[in-house]
Each structure stands twice: as C-alpha cells, then as structure tokens.
Amino acid sequence: MDHEPTISQDVSAKPGHRNLGKGRGLGRDVVVASICGGVVALMVGASYAAVPFYNWFCRATGFNGTTQVATSAPATGPIARKISVRFDSNVAPGLPWKFEPEQSEIEVNIGQVVTVFYTVTNQAARATAGQAAYNVAPLTVGAYFQKINCFCFTEQTMAPGEKREMPVVFYVDPSIAADHENDGLSTITLSYTFYPVRDPVVKPLASGEGDKRKGNL
C-alpha cells in the first residue's frame, strides 16, 4: 500500500511569532532596497564623471593617439634621426567649411620645432563656428607628439566667406628614440576634424595676431 507524504506541523507556533518574522523580513527588504538605490546613484554619478576622466587620461598618457601639450622646445634639442609627418583634414557634416593643410607631408628631425599651416574657408553666407578634434597615428605615438600651439585649443568663429590660415607648432619628443617599439617608425599622421559649434561664444570675427604667420620657432 502506497504511503502518502506527510506534512509535519509545528503546533507550538504562535501567531505572534509569525508576525515578528514578517516584520524582520520587511526590514531586510528596506535595507536591500536602500543598498540597491545607492549603487544605482553611484553608477549614474560615475557615468557623468567618466567623460572628463577619460579626456584627462588621454591627455596625460597619449592614449588613443591624443597628442600632448608642451610650453617650449625640448631641452635636449633635435637629434639626427628624421621622421615624416603627414597632415590630414576633415570636416564633419553640418559645418560649411573648406579645410586643408598647405603641405600634405614634411620630413623633420626628431626634436625639431616646426610650424605648419592649415587653411580654413567659411563657405556659408553667415557666420559659423567650429572646433577641431585631433589625434595622431599610429595611436601609440600620441605620448611623443608635443604641440606648443594649435588652433584646436580654442573654438573658431568665421565670418561669411572668411578664409584664415591656422598654425600648428609641434615637435616629436626625442625620448621616442629610447622606445624600441618605435624603432621602425618612419611616418606619423596628424589628423584633424572640425565639428560645428551650435552655441558659439560671442567674440570678434576678425582674425587676431595669433592667426598671422610667425614662421618656425
């Protein structure tokens, strides 16, 4: 004869005990919900901090081809090793500019301070503004590519039909010669892309003294 399963019952349990357990469970739910809410808030805050932290990290390390910013020529001066630097230019959709380098490629000594020019023309019948993003390739060279002066550091506002020459002053850090991963490096490409600025800072449209040719430093 089959035996049916039996369910044991605790006859000693009292209603008050069951209510107490239910209250403790509710307290745990509140604690868990509070912890989850704190984690979500922390993640949201981290997402807002991620962009400026990423930008700082790229500038500090040269990650992803981000160039460095220098205030003067290298202390050691140029070395005999030469390298070719190519110049690339792009304009994002929505910005009616013509943008191109005056020279597509030059050969320089590593450590030599060089000034090159890009030309920009606003092809619209209205004032427009843009700002350039930039990087170098190969991406690992960003830590060695030092820019002393660059139009990419500031927002650019162009009058209708205006044409402007924009300088870039740079050098390749001589310390790259000690990085044996770059022993076979012969060419660096400096690339710019101008993006439209929707709410430009109000400022005079005329070119300033900084836009005039100053020659190599």
Side-chain angles (χ1 to χ4, degrees), residues 21-34:
K22 189 178 296 183
R24 290 176 178 172
L26 181 60
R28 286 195 299 270
D29 291 343
V30 172
V31 172
V32 171
S34 299

Side-chain angles (χ1 to χ4, degrees), residues 79-161:
I79 62 177
R81 179 178 167 185
K82 292 182 177 292
I83 196 164
S84 294
V85 181
R86 294 175 180 169
F87 305 102
D88 177 53
S89 59
N90 307 276
V91 179
L95 188 63
W97 288 7
K98 181 180 179 181
F99 174 49
E100 57 188 2
E102 292 190 349
Q103 297 171 279
S104 60
E105 182 176 341
I106 62 173
E107 186 178 62
V108 300
N109 289 87
I110 291 177
Q112 177 186 355
V113 177
V114 180
T115 301
V116 297
F117 288 86
Y118 281 74
T119 60
V120 183
T121 304
N122 179 15
Q123 297 179 313
R126 57 183 174 83
T128 53
Q131 186 157 2
Y134 55 90
N135 71 346
V136 294
L139 300 182
T140 54
V141 180
Y144 301 104
F145 199 95
Q146 303 280 347
K147 287 196 289 188
I148 298 175
N149 186 28
C150 177
F151 54 84
C152 56
F153 297 154
T154 57
E155 177 185 306
Q156 305 292 329
T157 301
M158 303 277 288

Side-chain angles (χ1 to χ4, degrees), residues 6 66 75 99 121 148 168 180 183 186 198 201:
T6 60
T66 303
F99 174 49
T121 304
I148 298 175
V168 181
H180 296 299
D183 282 349
S186 60
R198 301 302 180 188
V201 176

